[in-house]
Structures are given as C-alpha cells and as structure tokens.
Amino acid sequence: MRFSGCLRTRRTGAAVTTVAPASSSRDLPHPDRAEIRLEAVLHALSDPMRLLIVRELAADGDELSCSHFDLPVTKSTTTHHFRVLREAGVIRQIYRGTAKMNGLRRDDLDDLFPGLLDSVLAAIARQAVRLGGS
C-alpha cells in the first residue's frame, strides 16, 4: 500500500512509525550525506568481504554490477554485505535494467571524513603485501 507524495503511518505492535513512501519497488534506501555516521562507516569497513568490495570499487573507479564480484560466500551473505555498505553510506546501489549497480560514494566520504577512505585502502593494500596476499 503506497501513497504518492505523502508520509504514511504503520502500526507495529503498540508503536506507530512514520515511513516515507517508496517511489519504486526497485528503489533502495540510502542515507543522505548528512546522515552518514563515522561509526557506521567504520563498522561497514571492518569486514574482510566488505573491504574487498570497496577495494574493487575504488580500483575500478566506476560502477560495477553485483555479479562482477566473486566473493567466497553465499549469495545471501553477499547481499547482506552490500546492504551493510549501502546503509552505512559507503556505496550507492541503483538498478540499471536488471542489473544492480554499485558505486563508491567517494565524494561523500571524502567530504565528511577527509582522508579516511584513502587511509583505509592504503592500509589494506599494505596488509595484503605484508601477509603475502593480493
């Protein structure tokens, strides 16, 4: 049940919550730049699989589809990792046709936390060299 241009309320148990309407069933929620929190970004970057996703996005510099990533985890776990990154404000996901495209929100992160992303990417690259990985 969707209402155009207005907020709707949903009763969950005893509480009433206000939910912004979705403009499309394929629109994915993203935090606005002002809503991105450092602790959420650091949490999102604390997982090796999510760091791998961010490294690939940063190296490519463009949007990549979910199917581009060959992670050694199940599809549902991969979906979870993308959701954590999106909800933290690290990546932006949009549908293009049937593909879900992922892009690093570098401008937002660099504006809010100058040097953080570059420092994390440099540190993970140094760790990979130190541990003999890629």
Side-chain angles (χ1 to χ4, degrees):
M1 169 159 100
R2 202 173 320 159
F3 301 96
S4 300
C6 63
L7 295 178
R8 64 187 168 106
T9 58
R10 177 178 31 193
R11 187 168 298 280
T12 54
V16 175
T17 58
T18 302
V19 181
S23 58
S24 166
S25 62
R26 292 171 52 102
D27 284 346
L28 300 165
H30 296 86
D32 290 331
R33 178 186 284 208
E35 298 172 325
I36 297 174
R37 305 280 312 237
L38 178 61
E39 57 271 24
V41 171
L42 292 174
H43 169 74
L45 297 175
S46 70
D47 183 88
M49 291 300 113
R50 295 193 289 265
L51 269 176
L52 180 61
I53 292 167
V54 170
R55 284 181 70 190
E56 285 192 41
L57 288 170
D60 188 80
D62 201 10
E63 294 178 340
L64 298 172
S65 69
C66 289
S67 62
H68 167 84
F69 298 89
D70 185 25
L71 302 178
V73 294
T74 65
K75 185 176 178 180
S76 63
T77 301
T78 298
T79 300
H80 166 76
H81 287 311
F82 279 107
R83 182 178 50 81
V84 170
L85 288 167
R86 177 176 40 83
E87 290 178 352
V90 176
I91 66 171
R92 180 163 307 280
Q93 291 185 303
I94 59 168
Y95 280 100
R96 290 232 168 77
T98 59
K100 190 186 292 182
M101 302 303 292
N102 304 281
L104 195 56
R105 292 180 67 176
R106 181 179 279 281
D107 290 345
D108 290 337
L109 295 173
D110 288 345
D111 182 56
L112 293 167
F113 316 112
L116 175 68
L117 188 58
D118 288 333
S119 294
V120 168
L121 291 169
I124 196 65
R126 285 191 306 273
Q127 176 177 286
V129 169
R130 183 172 46 87
L131 298 177
S134 56

